Amino acid sequence: MKLTIRAPINIALIKYWGKRDEALLLPTKDSIGISLLELFTETSVAIINRKDDEIFVHDEPEVQARIIQGIQAYLHRFRSITGVDARFSIHTRNNFPTASGIASSASGFAALATGLAKASELNFQESQISALARLGSGSAARSVCGGFVRFYKGTQPDGSDSFGKTIFHSDHWPELRMIVVLTSLSPKSISSRDSAKLLVNNPLYARWCEESHLRVDAAIQAIGERNLIQLGLLMEKDWVDLQKILATCDPPIQYATEVTYNVIHEIHKLRENCPCYFTTDAGPHVKVLSLASNVPVIRERLKGVEGVVQIRECRLGPGAMEL
Ligand code: PMV
């Protein structure tokens, strides 16, 4: 029996970046992200009667080998944790450019963990699937859940209380939009996992963690009140503080390109008349938070920035689900 899972990308408003436990992928702090309806991974999983797993990645040749390796390692880990002694056939595809820094590992491992748990009839609750997805990629813990998601750092050494949980469903704020502005289609220079290892050694990191962890509660309040200005400014403050740390790592980490900064510059100018706020992650793309009514103006303006490759308007949507 084959089942297919669709899992959304989840963009952090208040970030997680860096781990307190590298083996269990436990974050140093809580984060808040939103699951986006229009950008997702679809993964089919079936149990097969063979000696080895089969993995098909429907993607660009330059990223295939790395993704297959990641999935294979995850399958071994899944079997050793759950005791499920099966071989799997996996087919996976993204509806956006992989590996360029739009959280493809988040949606990818959320879809895979959900598919494996269901195919193996584990009857896991969402929090357990989220903790399982976290073992593939930290941010995947959020992509299992829908709407506005809090990813708890947890305190247990075994990671059992570190998972994502929906704090508001997507219908809480139906007008909210995230506009994903793609500024490149090439794979990113350094993975978020590798940059996180440099970040945690930066002397400025501990302070960011403390402040950013506190920002989570303020962000929840802004979301509860549907206060875009408040939420947008918190998101940007989190980003600005993080950029200082990235820039002062040894060696410095630079994901933003000239196009990234040109888009950010336009967002600042647009904001005089239209509330919109930006963030970026481990890649050159810009994610713009605003309301549906502002999207045509933002799209028109950003279309004119040289180097912008695609503009994708996204609503909030459900977490990982079977199709
Ligand atoms: O999922 P990871 O462990 O590769 O970490 C990615 C974290 C960021 O995307 C950079 C930020 C976040 O909170 O999603």
Side-chain angles (χ1 to χ4, degrees):
M1 193 192 71
K2 181 179 96 170
L3 52 86
T4 301
I5 306 292
R6 178 182 289 180
I9 70 163
N10 182 294
I11 300 297
L13 308 177
I14 307 297
K15 312 280 180 207
Y16 128 76
W17 212 328
K19 300 171 185 74
R20 65 185 168 89
D21 183 314
E22 282 290 337
L24 293 172
L25 276 72
L26 298 174
T28 50
K29 61 176 288 290
D30 288 16
S31 59
I32 300 264
I34 50 177
S35 285
L36 302 184
L37 183 64
E38 283 82 4
L39 298 175
F40 51 79
T41 299
E42 276 181 8
T43 301
S44 301
V45 178
I47 292 183
I48 50 173
N49 194 6
R50 293 210 181 167
K51 199 162 95 357
D52 296 312
D53 301 304
E54 4 170 279
I55 303 169
F56 302 92
V57 172
H58 303 276
D59 213 313
E60 301 296 320
E62 65 261 36
V63 295
Q64 274 176 353
R66 199 176 46 76
I67 298 175
I68 290 174
Q69 221 181 8
I71 294 176
Q72 189 64 73
Y74 188 81
L75 292 178
H76 291 315
R77 194 156 192 194
F78 173 79
R79 284 188 280 262
S80 77
I81 289 168
T82 59
V84 170
D85 184 23
R87 294 295 172 273
F88 297 95
S89 168
I90 309 286
H91 284 256
T92 189
R93 70 175 79 236
N94 295 331
N95 78 338
F96 56 87
T98 306
S100 58
I102 334 179
S104 59
S105 61
S107 54
F109 283 109
L112 184 60
T114 309
L116 292 173
K118 283 190 192 266
S120 312
E121 298 180 348
L122 290 178
N123 276 330
F124 274 9
Q125 292 173 353
E126 189 178 74
S127 57
Q128 290 172 293
I129 297 183
S130 171
L132 196 60
R134 192 200 71 231
L135 296 170
S137 170
S139 50
R142 293 195 312 254
S143 278
V144 169
C145 315
F148 298 85
V149 185
R150 180 173 188 158
F151 176 18
Y152 295 87
K153 77 181 180 77
T155 52
Q156 296 299 324
D158 67 355
S160 54
D161 58 350
S162 178
F163 49 75
K165 192 166 183 242
T166 297
I167 47 169
F168 293 98
H169 291 282
S170 49
D171 59 4
H172 166 71
W173 197 349
E175 313 80 33
L176 193 70
R177 293 290 181 275
M178 186 146 260
I179 305 157
V180 178
V181 185
L182 300 184
T183 59
S184 159
L185 296 180
S186 354
K188 57 191 172 186
S189 47
I190 166 172
S191 72
S192 47
R193 191 170 288 200
D194 289 341
S195 62
K197 289 184 191 146
L198 293 173
L199 268 186
V200 295
N201 290 322
N202 188 313
L204 302 174
Y205 182 74
R207 173 128 186 241
W208 174 75
C209 275
E210 266 171 47
E211 291 179 354
S212 179
H213 190 73
L214 293 176
R215 246 173 240 138
V216 166
D217 288 331
I220 292 173
Q221 187 174 345
I223 296 166
E225 294 166 0
R226 298 185 197 87
N227 185 335
L228 177 65
I229 299 179
Q230 192 64 27
L231 182 61
L233 291 176
L234 284 164
M235 179 177 83
E236 288 190 1
K237 174 78 178 123
D238 205 54
W239 181 88
V240 168
D241 290 353
L242 200 47
Q243 298 313 300
K244 287 183 213 154
I245 311 177
L246 288 168
T248 54
C249 280
D250 187 15
I253 303 161
Q254 168 89 29
Y255 287 113
T257 62
E258 199 182 339
V259 188
T260 314
Y261 288 117
N262 289 342
V263 171
I264 290 174
H265 184 61
E266 289 304 323
I267 296 301
H268 277 293
K269 284 202 285 182
L270 266 166
R271 198 178 300 164
E272 288 160 21
N273 305 310
C274 145
C276 54
Y277 302 87
F278 69 89
T279 189
T280 69
D281 290 286
H285 315 297
V286 186
K287 290 98 179 197
V288 183
L289 194 67
S290 195
L291 301 177
S293 53
N294 299 326
V295 173
V297 177
I298 298 170
R299 190 188 270 282
E300 197 49 39
R301 180 72 74 89
L302 298 185
K303 237 170 54 184
V305 177
E306 202 182 324
V308 166
V309 191
Q310 258 181 51
I311 300 177
R312 310 274 294 257
E313 175 185 353
C314 299
R315 291 166 287 172
L316 274 67
M321 59 177 186
E322 192 172 345
L323 295 179

